[in-house]
Amino acid sequence: MKISVLTLFPEIFTGFQETSIIKKAILKGLVDYEVIDMRSFTEDKHNRVDDYPYGGGAGLVLMCQPVIDAIKATRTESSVVVMLTPQGRTLKQSIAYELSTYDHLILLCGHYEGFDERIRHYVDMEMSIGDYVLTGGETAAMVISDAVIRLVDGVITKESHEDDSFSNGLLEYPHYTRPRDYEGLVVPDVLISGHHENVRTFRLKESLRKTKRVRPDLLESREMTDLEIKLLHEIENE
Ligand code: 6GU
């Protein structure tokens, strides 16, 4: 898969591309990651990419010309153009899966007060990463890139994301590694028992417990198995 980022601040992506799993995915050729400076598309003699809003008001607005020319120069038949904006759909793991199936994602990062509304005619979808306001779309583009790249085949093992939080509609169960006793905080016995069935049930129960406590909204919209209903009753009676 290919990801092209259109931004006015390409340097912010350097550390992201050069670190850990993302770096390896790029080196292995599993993802082609390209960062494009939209300022290089401006036809303004002072290199401007933004201007005052018609009608007045605070802040500057990204102009059509450099942004749309950058989109046109980057897109192909198979591209999906994603605008990063707090007015978009909120990112969810299910959307990250959907995005990971596309050939070419173009992540369009805004800054300042926002985009000229007409830019939306050149965009396929608008995404937000949550209900808060960032100074620009760049950090959101990194969040989306990270969530998508780790789902691309070969980047991490399938087992590592089949257990992820949200993949089964629940938050993930707790993990432990050595030592068994850290300052009196001990690893639950069942994890050392070697009894795989009991380990699975323990993990499911702890996932349910955590989800019920922190994200009860996730449980409301979820079909439950008989075992899950039984475990939730146990949790309620503890
Ligand atoms: Cl995608 N952009 C900005 N500027 N703020 C946000 C966001 C995006 N998602 C949440 N807040």
Side-chain angles (χ1 to χ4, degrees):
M1 116 170 288
K2 179 171 175 179
I3 300 180
S4 304
V5 180
L6 305 183
T7 174
L8 296 172
F9 300 95
E11 62 281 1
I12 196 175
F13 292 89
T14 309
F16 174 71
Q17 289 178 84
E18 292 178 359
T19 308
S20 185
I21 293 171
I22 306 301
K23 175 186 183 175
K24 285 201 200 113
I26 296 168
L27 282 175
K28 284 197 207 163
L30 300 170
V31 197
D32 181 3
Y33 205 80
E34 165 184 69
V35 180
I36 296 169
D37 187 350
M38 288 192 285
R39 196 177 295 277
S40 68
F41 288 87
T42 182
E43 288 175 354
D44 179 85
K45 60 179 183 292
H46 299 110
N47 271 349
R48 290 196 62 172
V49 291
D50 48 46
D51 211 337
Y52 298 100
Y54 279 121
L60 293 165
V61 176
L62 280 174
M63 300 161 82
C64 288
Q65 182 275 317
V67 175
I68 293 167
D69 283 353
I71 293 171
K72 287 178 174 173
T74 309
R75 72 181 173 190
T76 65
E77 291 279 279
S78 64
S79 305
V80 176
V81 181
V82 182
M83 175 188 269
L84 285 322
T85 161
Q87 287 106 50
R89 282 163 84 193
T90 312
L91 183 65
K92 298 266 180 302
Q93 188 64 13
S94 55
I95 300 175
Y97 271 109
E98 178 191 323
L99 296 177
S100 74
T101 66
Y102 298 141
D103 274 348
H104 184 206
L105 286 181
I106 299 176
L107 303 179
L108 175 61
C109 305
H111 232 85
Y112 317 115
E113 271 309 291
F115 298 94
D116 186 302
E117 187 64 20
R118 293 165 291 188
I119 295 169
R120 291 191 153 85
H121 288 277
Y122 299 81
V123 158
D124 299 306
M125 60 196 285
E126 299 182 29
M127 291 291 315
S128 160
I129 60 164
D131 293 340
Y132 41 80
V133 179
L134 303 167
T135 59
E138 284 76 11
T139 46
M142 283 187 266
V143 167
I144 292 178
S145 299
D146 187 305
V148 168
I149 289 171
R150 66 188 287 285
L151 296 176
V152 170
D153 273 349
V155 174
I156 56 174
T157 62
K158 265 230 153 44
E159 304 77 66
S160 338
H161 57 76
E162 276 167 0
D163 278 352
D164 285 346
S165 292
F166 311 112
S167 298
N168 64 355
L170 298 174
L171 302 183
E172 209 176 338
Y173 52 78
H175 301 280
Y176 297 89
T177 186
R178 291 185 303 153
R180 273 183 75 166
D181 183 333
Y182 181 80
E183 296 192 344
L185 300 169
V186 294
V187 177
D189 285 334
V190 58
L191 296 178
I192 291 142
S193 68
H195 194 303
H196 300 301
E197 179 71 32
N198 288 355
V199 169
R200 258 199 306 280
T201 306
F202 169 81
R203 286 178 167 165
L204 177 58
K205 186 170 180 180
E206 294 313 305
S207 273
L208 287 162
R209 189 194 309 281
K210 177 121 205 182
T211 310
K212 182 174 154 60
R213 179 158 55 88
V214 184
R215 292 294 305 277
D217 56 302
L218 294 177
L219 291 182
E220 270 156 36
S221 54
R222 192 169 173 281
E223 292 271 343
M224 300 276 184
T225 65
D226 290 345
L227 175 60
E228 288 167 357
I229 291 165
K230 175 177 159 256
L231 293 171
L232 272 172
H233 279 305
E234 284 177 24
I235 291 164
E236 276 157 22
N237 295 322
E238 276 168 18

